[in-house]
Amino acid sequence: MQNLSEPEIQRRKKREDLMKLGIDPYPAELYKVNATAKDILQNYERNKIDYKDISIAGRLMGFRIMGNASFAELQDATGRIQLYFKRDDLCPTEDKSLYNDVFKKLLDIGDIIGAKGYVFTTQTGETTIHVTEFKLLSKALKPLPIVKTDEEGKVHDAVTDVEFRYRQRYADLVVNPQTKDIFVKRAKIISTMRRIFDEKGWLEVETPILQPIHGGAAARPFKTHHNTLDMPLYMRIANELYLKRLIVGGFDGVYEFGKMFRNEGMDRTHNPEFTSMELYVAYKDYHWMMELTETVFETVAMTLHDTTEVKVGENTIHFRAPFTRLSIVGAIEKYTGVNIESYDETQLRQLCREWKMNIDDSMGLGKLIDEIFGEKVEANLIQPTFIIDYPVEMSPLTKKHRSKAGFVERFELFVNGKEVANAYSELNDPIDQRERFEEQLKLAARGDEEAMAMDEDFIRSLEYGMPPTSGIGIGIDRLTMMMTNNASIQEVLFFPQMKPEQKTQVAEIQDYVKIGVSEEIVPILQKLGFLTIEELKKANANKLFNDLGGMRKKMKLDVKLPSKEEVEKWLA
RNA sequence: GAUUUCGUAGCUCAGUCGGUAGAGCAUUACACUUUUAAUGUAGGGGUCCUGGGUUCGAGCCCCAGCGGAAUCACCA
C-alpha cells in the first residue's frame, strides 16, 4: 500500500468520494446488455430502428470533454464505440452533479461502466451512443498505459515493452488489440482442428499429466513427488504411450490437446510448458497421415486467412496440398551434395568432423544423421515439406520401414525452417518394441540424458495386440506462431514463463510502530525510501531527522514530528 | 551458458563535454454544447534498475549484481 503514484492515490480518493455519494464502485448485481460495439458499428446504418434503446457495457478508454457535452470511448469485448454524454440530458433537473461530478470528475480511463441510450451519427459521421443513463460497474485504481490511434490509423505511444506485456498480459490485452487477435486466432486453430477430428468420429480424450515413467519423447522432465504414495512422479514430456494404450483398448481414433512439460532451455521457441495436439488413428499408415496433415493445415489456413497463402516474416508460405515429400537422406543429399545412404557410424562421424560440427561420442548413427539434418537442411525448408523415413535409432516407437532396412516409417513436417509436426506408422510388435527400449537403455548408459526408459506396462498393452496405427503430434504454439506471423513463442502464450518479479519485503505499519514510530509518520518514512525496518535502522539519525521535516513540508502533511532524541531511539 | 545491447515520470522516449532532471501523452485545476491523437491556459508528478568505485561534482565514466531483448550454444 505504499509508493503509490499520484494518479493511483487520486483514484483511491475518487473511489471513496463515490461511496460518499452513495455510489457503489463495485456493485454486485448483473448489468443487462443488449448490444456490442461491433454489432452497432456493423448494423446500425442499415437497421436504425433496432438501436433506439440499447444497453452496453465495457471499459472507458478515452474522454473528450468540452463543457456541457462530452465524448468518451467505450471498449467492450468486440471493439470500441463512441459515447456521447450531454449534461442536460443526463441531469434534467437543477442538480447537475451526476454529469459535473460523477462523470467529469470521478470517472477515469480504465473504469468499467454500463450505459443505456440510443444510437445516432455525429456531424463528423461517427456512429455514437447518446447516453441517457450510465452506471459505474467497476472503478479502476491503476492507470492503463494510453495508446492512441490517429485518423490515418497510426498508433502513438504503443506499449511495446515485452516485459510489461508478458508480465501484465491483462493490461496488454486491454491496450493492444493485436495481442487479443493472436489469441482469438489461436483458439480458432484449435477449434478448427477439433472440428475436423470430431467429424471423422474420433474421440477427444485426456491422459495423465503426472506419470510414473516419463516416456514417449526425448527430453528431460520435471520431477515431483506424491506424498501419500511416497513415490516420484514426472510431469509428462509426452502423452503418446497413453494414447496408444487407448487404441489397444478399441477406439478407432483418439486425440488430445494437452500441455507438455520439458525441463530444458528457454528461448523464443521454447517454453517449459507448451501445447501439443496428438492424434492416433487405427488401421492407417504414415502415408495416409501425410494427406490428413495437408488437409488440416490447409483448412486451418483457410479458416484464419481465407487463403492458403500465409505471410510469415519475409516468406509467403503456401499451405496448398500436396506438400513436398523428401527422405531425410535425400534431403541431406539435396542440400549438401553428399549421399550418406551407405555410410556407417564411423564414416558419418568423420564427415561431421570435416564439417566442423559439434558432436560427441554418445551420439549413435541416427543421432549423427539428425545432427547433419539440423545443421545443413532444416533452415532451408521454408515451404511445407514432409521429411520422411528416419533412421531407426532415433525413432524407438516407430514401425520399421516396409522396404528400406535400417529406417522407419516416420515423417516430420517442416515449415519456415521449423518442425511443426512429427508422425509415424506406430510400432505395434511388442517384441520389437522391447528391443528398441533396450537400445535406448544402452544409449542412456553411453550418456544420452534423453534416452527413453523401459515402459513395461506399455509393452504389456502391445502384447494384447494394437492394430496398425498412425499417429501425429502437432505443436500448437509453433503452429500459432506461424499462422499469426510471430517469431517468438511468448507472443502466442497468454502467460509465458518468466523469472519471478523482484518484490521487496515491505514492512507493515505495525512494524514501524513497534520500534516507536508514530503511525502518522510512517508515510513520510516510506516516501523517504525506508520500506523495511532493516533499512531504517541503518539510517543516520541527524540526516533522517532533517529529512523528515523536509518531506513533511513537501507532502503537505500536518503531523507532529518527533524530536531528534525520539528518532535516535528508533534507530537504537 | 557466452557475446552484444538496453534499463530515466503511469506510458512512449530525449538528455550535449561529467556541472540545478526534460518533452509528448496520461493526471490535477479552469475554460469550452458534435469532438475524435479534441483544443487552450496553469500546475503536480523522479530510488535516473541496485550496490560499490573514480571525481570538488556521476543519469552520463569504471567494476559487480539484478532484470529484459537479440545473436550463438544447448534443447524438438
Side-chain angles (χ1 to χ4, degrees):
Chain A
M1 293 296 284
Q2 58 288 308
N3 274 350
L4 293 175
S5 66
E6 201 60 35
E8 287 174 302
I9 293 164
Q10 278 156 3
R11 285 172 183 237
R12 277 164 175 74
K13 186 169 176 303
K14 290 179 183 182
R15 173 181 172 278
E16 299 290 328
D17 292 346
L18 285 160
M19 287 165 138
K20 279 181 203 150
L21 288 171
I23 296 169
D24 183 354
Y26 305 98
E29 65 273 18
L30 66 79
Y31 191 84
K32 272 192 190 161
V33 169
N34 66 14
T36 63
K38 192 174 164 192
D39 169 38
I40 294 168
L41 294 176
Q42 280 183 351
N43 301 317
Y44 167 69
E45 280 301 328
R46 275 179 286 133
N47 193 9
K48 294 190 176 176
I49 41 166
D50 281 351
Y51 296 91
K52 297 247 181 260
D53 188 12
I54 62 107
S55 176
I56 192 167
R59 198 184 285 276
L60 287 167
M61 295 303 284
F63 292 98
R64 289 180 285 276
I65 293 175
M66 53 221 103
N68 297 334
S70 301
F71 291 93
E73 268 183 62
L74 186 85
Q75 175 171 293
D76 70 6
T78 66
R80 284 192 185 188
I81 190 157
Q82 181 167 265
L83 304 182
Y84 178 63
F85 292 81
K86 194 173 176 183
R87 187 189 65 192
D88 295 337
D89 285 3
L90 285 164
C91 311
T93 64
E94 284 301 299
D95 178 10
K96 305 296 183 193
S97 61
L98 180 66
Y99 178 81
N100 283 338
D101 299 332
V102 179
F103 172 73
K104 273 170 72 173
K105 298 219 163 88
L106 299 177
L107 291 190
D108 286 298
I109 289 177
D111 290 353
I112 295 167
I113 68 160
K116 294 193 200 325
Y118 56 89
V119 181
F120 74 110
T121 305
T122 63
Q123 286 175 11
T124 46
E126 177 150 348
T127 304
T128 301
I129 300 171
H130 189 125
V131 177
T132 52
E133 227 180 283
F134 71 92
K135 181 180 183 185
L136 177 61
L137 301 179
S138 182
K139 179 77 195 158
L141 297 185
K142 211 166 169 55
L144 283 168
I146 305 300
V147 180
K148 293 194 173 185
T149 309
D150 64 22
E151 278 173 353
E152 294 128 38
K154 216 168 114 194
V155 179
H156 298 260
D157 298 334
V159 179
T160 50
D161 176 22
V162 291
E163 187 171 5
F164 176 92
R165 292 184 46 239
Y166 297 163
R167 287 197 197 277
Q168 301 187 47
R169 186 66 96 180
Y170 32 85
D172 181 29
L173 287 163
V174 170
V175 148
N176 290 324
Q178 65 279 19
T179 299
K180 214 170 176 179
D181 184 58
I182 291 168
F183 293 99
V184 171
K185 288 210 168 80
R186 182 181 172 119
K188 254 188 203 165
I189 289 169
I190 292 172
S191 63
T192 301
M193 292 172 78
R194 183 174 279 133
R195 198 186 66 234
I196 295 171
F197 302 154
D198 287 346
E199 275 169 7
K200 298 199 184 276
W202 301 329
L203 191 71
E204 180 164 14
V205 300
E206 290 170 282
T207 61
I209 288 171
L210 291 173
Q211 303 179 347
I213 298 170
H214 56 280
R220 276 179 290 173
F222 288 93
K223 193 176 180 180
T224 183
H225 184 265
H226 190 279
N227 289 340
T228 307
L229 294 173
D230 189 25
M231 64 179 284
L233 285 172
Y234 300 93
M235 310 276 283
R236 69 179 173 198
I237 56 171
N239 52 0
E240 162 158 6
L241 301 184
Y242 284 93
L243 291 169
K244 283 197 267 199
R245 284 170 170 94
L246 297 178
I247 296 294
V248 170
F251 294 108
D252 264 348
V254 290
Y255 69 94
E256 178 174 13
F257 287 92
K259 281 276 178 78
M260 304 301 151
F261 306 85
R262 298 189 182 178
N263 203 344
E264 290 167 345
M266 289 164 56
D267 57 32
R268 66 187 199 292
T269 54
H270 296 84
N271 195 64
E273 55 183 288
F274 64 97
T275 303
S276 165
M277 194 296 302
E278 299 267 333
L279 165 71
Y280 292 81
V281 185
Y283 310 112
K284 308 295 183 195
D285 66 7
Y286 77 139
H287 290 296
W288 174 89
M289 188 61 88
M290 279 187 251
E291 283 167 31
L292 177 76
T293 306
E294 287 168 340
T295 305
V296 168
F297 277 72
E298 238 180 25
T299 311
V300 166
M302 283 301 291
T303 306
L304 258 51
H305 303 291
D306 290 318
T307 167
T308 53
E309 297 191 5
V310 179
K311 256 199 96 64
V312 182
E314 289 173 3
N315 301 314
T316 300
I317 310 291
H318 305 272
F319 288 105
R320 180 160 209 99
F323 302 163
T324 307
R325 287 152 171 77
L326 209 54
S327 77
I328 189 163
V329 172
I332 289 171
E333 186 174 4
K334 178 171 174 186
Y335 290 99
T336 67
V338 182
N339 185 346
I340 58 160
E341 193 158 5
S342 56
Y343 280 40
D344 64 15
E345 192 177 314
T346 323
Q347 288 169 296
L348 265 185
R349 182 160 287 123
Q350 182 59 36
L351 185 65
C352 290
R353 296 237 164 85
E354 278 170 32
W355 283 337
K356 301 209 164 47
M357 287 170 51
N358 203 357
I359 52 162
D360 64 64
D361 291 342
S362 76
M363 293 175 178
L365 180 83
K367 187 84 179 162
L368 291 171
I369 292 180
D370 192 37
E371 289 292 317
I372 294 173
F373 177 79
E375 172 104 9
K376 301 286 181 192
V377 180
E378 203 169 319
N380 296 309
L381 303 175
I382 302 303
Q383 294 306 322
T385 306
F386 290 118
I387 296 297
I388 66 173
D389 299 346
Y390 283 67
V392 63
E393 291 88 342
M394 51 193 287
S395 313
L397 304 169
T398 310
K399 198 188 275 267
K400 280 180 181 145
H401 198 279
R402 61 194 78 181
S403 58
K404 291 187 201 169
F407 289 86
V408 292
E409 300 206 344
R410 171 181 184 183
F411 74 78
E412 294 189 340
L413 176 61
F414 288 85
V415 180
N416 203 38
K418 306 251 164 52
E419 180 213 334
V420 284
N422 181 13
Y424 21 93
S425 302
E426 303 294 335
L427 176 57
N428 61 348
D429 174 349
I431 304 292
D432 190 359
Q433 183 65 76
R434 178 178 293 281
E435 287 167 4
R436 301 281 193 94
F437 276 138
E438 277 161 1
E439 285 300 316
Q440 288 290 304
L441 297 180
K442 282 184 206 158
L443 284 178
R446 273 169 77 168
D448 187 343
E449 281 186 45
E450 300 174 344
M452 286 185 204
M454 177 72 71
D455 188 333
E456 290 288 352
D457 178 69
F458 174 63
I459 291 174
R460 179 168 63 189
S461 76
L462 292 187
E463 285 170 351
Y464 283 108
M466 182 174 85
T469 297
S470 186
I472 187 167
I474 297 176
I476 296 299
D477 311 288
R478 292 192 182 173
L479 177 58
T480 306
M481 287 163 66
M482 208 164 286
M483 290 292 177
T484 60
N485 192 13
N486 273 294
S488 93
I489 195 170
Q490 285 79 18
E491 289 290 349
V492 304
L493 297 168
F494 273 127
F495 304 105
Q497 195 59 243
M498 307 277 285
K499 286 194 190 176
E501 275 182 277
Q502 257 183 325
K503 52 177 178 210
T504 37
Q505 285 291 338
V506 177
E508 303 284 329
I509 292 177
Q510 302 108 306
D511 298 325
Y512 291 95
V513 174
K514 263 183 218 158
I515 62 162
V517 180
S518 76
E519 208 173 306
E520 46 189 17
I521 301 294
V522 173
I524 304 181
L525 287 175
Q526 288 174 334
K527 192 76 185 175
L528 283 169
F530 297 105
L531 298 177
T532 67
I533 302 300
E534 239 180 30
E535 272 180 79
L536 183 59
K537 291 275 187 191
K538 280 190 274 184
N540 174 297
N542 274 319
K543 184 173 187 325
L544 178 55
F545 176 69
N546 284 332
D547 288 349
L548 279 174
M551 188 56 82
R552 178 182 70 163
K553 196 172 172 192
K554 198 171 176 192
M555 291 170 79
K556 293 175 193 147
L557 291 177
D558 186 25
V559 295
K560 188 173 170 293
L561 283 181
S563 66
K564 206 172 107 186
E565 288 68 34
E566 283 175 283
V567 172
E568 280 165 358
K569 262 188 225 163
W570 302 346
L571 309 184

